[in-house]
Amino acid sequence: DKLGLRKTSWDRFGRVHMGDIIIAVNGKPVNNYDELYHMMINIKVGEQIALTVKRLAHQIVENHLQLIDTVIVGIQPRGVHLSDRIVNELKQIVSPEDVQYGKLDITFYRDDFRKQVLAPDRMHLPFDIENKTVILVDDVLFTGRTIKAALDALLDYGRPAKVELCVLVDRKEHRQFPIQPDYVGNSMTT
């Protein structure tokens, strides 16, 4: 079978057994082989993402030793999930006091703002960005519109010396603005 499981059986509730043990993943009983397969794939993907986040953090430190005059800014909402993980990795590599981290809400800077009602996220930039390197973090770079809005919002807070971009996924073919990431977890062609 797909997972290499042998000597399995089903109980009257349809759960998978291996010998006398009910198979469970993360405390959740598995109902069938397909469910078990998909759960195992999700665990594998989670492990790969953790390795990718660790690699991105190390690349940032390689380019900005001790993060001197460097700040990390997660783009609300989805970029914050990635930036939280990167910042946690950075705090294990360098002194936690050296990591300056903020969150940027771009709701009112988006060009599609008038097409839908959006509730703003919480903005949190507890530092000055003037003459510092700002590393913007987002989950996916697709058309570049989110990054353009983030740059517009960022410039309202000051004039950074340099802005770099860190993304988990770069989907290159659909770019509408000349924006390229400096740190890329994975590039995808779709």
Side-chain angles (χ1 to χ4, degrees):
D1 65 2
K2 293 186 238 183
L3 296 172
L5 297 176
R6 284 175 250 113
K7 295 186 180 178
T8 57
S9 62
W10 305 87
D11 68 8
R12 61 189 178 110
F13 301 107
R15 294 181 296 199
V16 181
H17 287 261
M18 189 165 180
D20 292 331
I21 302 169
I22 295 176
I23 297 176
V25 177
N26 293 333
K28 182 182 176 207
V30 178
N31 294 318
N32 56 49
Y33 278 117
D34 286 334
E35 189 175 321
L36 179 61
Y37 180 73
H38 290 292
M39 287 177 145
M40 298 303 282
I41 294 295
N42 288 338
I43 289 171
K44 187 67 174 170
V45 168
E47 291 171 1
Q48 289 172 337
I49 289 173
L51 285 172
T52 300
V53 167
K54 189 176 289 242
R55 179 173 47 84
L56 290 171
H58 280 277
Q59 288 175 347
I60 289 170
V61 171
E62 285 175 12
N63 292 336
H64 305 283
L65 294 176
Q66 302 306 313
L67 299 178
I68 297 169
D69 290 327
T70 302
V71 298
I72 311 295
V73 177
I75 300 174
Q76 295 274 14
R78 292 181 307 269
V80 171
H81 301 297
L82 176 61
S83 60
D84 285 343
R85 292 178 73 171
I86 289 174
V87 165
N88 287 336
E89 288 293 332
L90 288 171
K91 287 180 179 179
Q92 294 177 17
I93 301 169
V94 300
S95 172
E97 295 83 35
D98 293 338
V99 180
Q100 295 185 55
Y101 175 46
K103 300 172 184 176
L104 185 66
D105 179 16
I106 62 164
T107 302
F108 299 115
Y109 294 88
R110 295 181 59 88
D111 58 5
D112 60 355
F113 172 69
R114 288 180 176 76
K115 295 179 184 174
Q116 57 186 336
V117 177
L118 298 172
D121 290 304
R122 229 173 136 204
M123 182 80 77
H124 181 69
L125 287 177
F127 43 75
D128 184 28
I129 64 167
E130 198 73 29
N131 295 318
K132 293 185 179 175
T133 297
V134 175
I135 300 175
L136 284 175
V137 180
D138 202 9
D139 59 344
V140 177
L141 176 57
F142 187 50
T143 62
R145 290 184 177 278
T146 298
I147 305 307
K148 183 206 173 287
L151 291 169
D152 291 343
L154 197 62
L155 291 176
D156 282 351
Y157 286 90
R159 186 171 184 218
K162 183 178 183 181
V163 178
E164 296 179 351
L165 178 60
C166 176
V167 296
L168 184 62
V169 177
D170 180 13
R171 296 179 63 188
K172 297 179 181 191
E173 305 81 38
H174 304 283
R175 204 80 82 242
Q176 296 173 355
F177 290 94
I179 295 173
Q180 299 300 320
D182 299 283
Y183 308 97
V184 180
N186 294 301
S187 291
M188 288 186 144
T189 55
T190 54

